[in-house]
Amino acid sequence: MDYGPSERPAGATPLPTAIKILVAGGFGVGKTTMVGAVSETRPLRTEEVLTESGVGIDDLSGVEGKSTTTVAMDFGRITISDDLVLYLFGTPGQDRFWFVWDELALGAIGAVVLADTRRLADCFPSIDYFEGRGTPFVVAVNCFEGAKQYRLDEVQAALNLDPGVPVLLCDARRRESSKEVLITLLEHAMKTRDARRAMD
């Protein structure tokens, strides 16, 4: 039987805190892969096959083998502890689907911006978006095979990030690597929240 927040019987196991997180970044950077790798449930995906109508609109540079694209969102869930559950929302990567971002961002405590060093500029729109909203975020450099590796401070400088924004390496295909990124984001979001409260 389902109970409302004020109707739960005494002694009942408390419901876990639900936290919403966005996974963003450029087209083909690994957002769908990360949500699928870390989700403990079968992820909801809204992928469609790339068609000729996208020629000249969708930039496939560096991801020529990509055949599908997210048109609305990816959705997954991961339990961090008995009292904490994360709900992950992967954003669409192309400009033409940006109209859904404001809806997806409602209630999110933070975001992961995935970056590909071969196409680093592709994550600037995501960074600008979250900076503009005051949403805490981390930058996770997805380590693609064959891509040149850079030091994290070089990536931070290239993206002109505030020194307080965490930058880390990850492999979006691996659950533990993706989970580490999410934990880093949670810690960063809590520090940001505490700092803002101290200023009020």
Side-chain angles (χ1 to χ4, degrees), residues 8-9 11-17 82-83:
R8 295 184 63 76
T13 303
L15 293 173
T17 300
D82 290 340
D83 58 356

Side-chain angles (χ1 to χ4, degrees), residues 28-107:
V29 77
K31 301 179 294 295
T32 298
T33 300
M34 172 173 276
V35 173
V38 81
S39 180
E40 63 197 15
T41 61
R42 183 177 180 182
L44 169 67
R45 293 175 173 163
T46 57
E47 287 196 308
E48 295 293 340
V49 175
L50 290 168
T51 63
E52 291 184 3
S53 61
V55 174
I57 300 175
D58 298 327
D59 183 5
L60 295 178
S61 301
V63 287
E64 291 81 0
K66 187 171 175 61
S67 61
T68 61
T69 184
T70 299
V71 297
M73 66 174 184
D74 300 308
F75 174 77
R77 165 188 165 136
I78 177 173
T79 300
I80 298 296
S81 63
D82 290 340
D83 58 356
L84 183 61
V85 175
L86 305 185
Y87 291 97
L88 311 177
F89 291 79
T91 64
Q94 300 105 306
D95 294 350
R96 59 193 171 115
F97 296 124
W98 270 59
F99 62 90
V100 303
W101 276 54
D102 288 341
E103 292 293 329
L104 291 178
L106 286 176

